[in-house]
Amino acid sequence: MRLTDALRPCLPGSGLGCVIALVGAGGKTSALFGLGEELAWTGRDVLLTTTTHIFDPRLEQGRAFDQVVLDEACPGASPWDQVPPRKDRGRRIVFASREARGPGKLRGVEPGRLEGLSRPETFILVEADGARGRSIKAPGPHEPVIPATAGLVLGLAGLDCLGQPMDGASVHRPERFGPVAGCAPGDSIQPEHLAALARSPQGLFKGAPAGCIRVLLLNKADRCGLALEELRARFRTCGPCGADLILVCALGDPDPAKRVLARVELPEGAVIAHPALGGTPTCP
């Protein structure tokens, strides 16, 4: 299933804009550009941005976008006005403040800069967290940097961390992840640790705006040692996961139709059940 199809109940209807924040670890940038590509093919314009840092997509292979717009070039100007419309699909504009000092990176924009950029028929996708390439993380005191206008927050966790020892090789900020997830240094990371991370106020969805929809994306299922049914069964026994919707994904798959593998059905009361999700999709 496509990610846009799985998220359809979470997305606004025609005529409305939407701000979507991505947090956590284990595939945020792949999700950012993949979701942006899918949304653009529906005819909606998409702004791809960050409130932290992001690798310059002009230097990476496989990143789908139309143009990079740097705010320092035209301070205060709307990025929508700097890229002409397309007839075949929506625009995909990468928006950053400037090139960062680090090699090959772009510096993010302040959350307040995004206010006023929402327009009808548009999406603003915001990478609001950093993980330094790790598969899982717990946020620091200043993280994540989620815009207050975000109506949907996608929290990512890389399933390739399962079975790995809890240390700095697979976990970003292990000193924070351990207490939040209940996982001691060196212990094997298990599904219950990811569930604890997602439901903790200091965990994956820390700082999510009140009233927003929270979706837990369990990514890299294609690199996980557990079979899909076993994985779903393990998460069903983990109790509350602090999310309205839980999807098992392989967001790096080049075929968009294969990026969402399943939805995790939890017992009644184990999900938040946002009112907007009455009638969630059934994934195979």
Side-chain angles (χ1 to χ4, degrees):
M1 177 180 279
R2 295 174 184 270
L3 186 55
T4 45
D5 291 335
L7 294 176
R8 192 173 305 281
C10 312
L11 303 176
S14 179
L16 298 176
C18 183
V19 178
I20 303 174
L22 296 91
V23 299
K28 290 190 305 298
T29 305
S30 293
L32 181 84
F33 283 93
L35 181 57
E37 180 181 15
E38 291 184 37
L39 291 170
W41 282 115
T42 69
R44 309 285 283 269
D45 287 334
V46 184
L47 196 69
L48 307 164
T49 188
T50 178
T51 52
T52 56
H53 291 81
I54 193 172
F55 282 106
D56 191 334
R58 296 171 294 189
L59 305 178
E60 294 188 294
Q61 293 184 347
R63 301 300 188 199
F65 66 97
D66 293 310
Q67 187 170 324
V68 172
V69 174
L70 299 181
D71 202 26
E72 69 174 359
C74 297
S78 172
W80 300 116
D81 298 335
Q82 301 180 52
V83 181
R86 295 182 61 109
K87 295 182 179 180
D88 57 336
R89 56 166 172 76
R91 293 169 290 177
R92 297 164 296 184
I93 304 171
V94 177
F95 182 51
S97 61
R98 57 182 172 81
E99 293 183 356
R101 293 181 179 178
K105 286 193 173 186
L106 301 177
R107 187 178 180 88
V109 298
E110 294 294 328
R113 179 67 177 93
L114 300 176
E115 295 182 9
L117 293 183
S118 291
R119 293 182 174 183
E121 306 289 351
T122 64
F123 285 93
I124 298 178
L125 308 187
V126 186
E127 188 167 321
D129 211 353
R132 297 190 178 180
R134 304 300 193 271
S135 293
I136 195 74
K137 72 165 290 185
H142 57 288
E143 299 172 319
V145 188
I146 303 176
T149 52
L152 172 61
V153 177
L154 307 180
L156 280 86
L159 292 173
D160 55 338
C161 74
L162 294 180
Q164 298 299 313
M166 203 286 283
D167 57 29
S170 56
V171 180
H172 182 45
R173 302 194 189 283
E175 73 283 357
R176 299 189 67 86
F177 176 86
V180 167
C183 186
D187 281 359
S188 175
I189 301 173
Q190 299 298 320
E192 53 265 30
H193 298 132
L194 304 191
L197 176 71
R199 66 174 170 258
S200 171
Q202 299 303 312
L204 190 58
F205 293 102
K206 174 176 173 253
C212 74
I213 298 175
R214 304 180 181 193
V215 178
L216 175 59
L217 299 182
L218 300 171
N219 192 29
K220 300 186 180 180
D222 50 334
R223 305 183 195 178
C224 173
L226 297 178
L228 181 59
E229 281 308 313
E230 182 181 0
L231 185 66
R232 294 171 76 180
R234 290 284 300 275
F235 272 97
R236 288 190 192 106
T237 66
C238 288
C241 287
D244 300 293
L245 180 66
I246 304 172
L247 302 174
V248 180
C249 306
L251 297 174
D253 197 305
D255 183 351
K258 298 180 180 179
R259 288 174 181 165
V260 178
L261 306 179
R263 179 162 57 107
V264 178
E265 296 282 2
L266 295 182
E268 185 176 352
V271 293
I272 298 175
H274 195 283
L277 295 181
T280 50
T282 300
C283 302

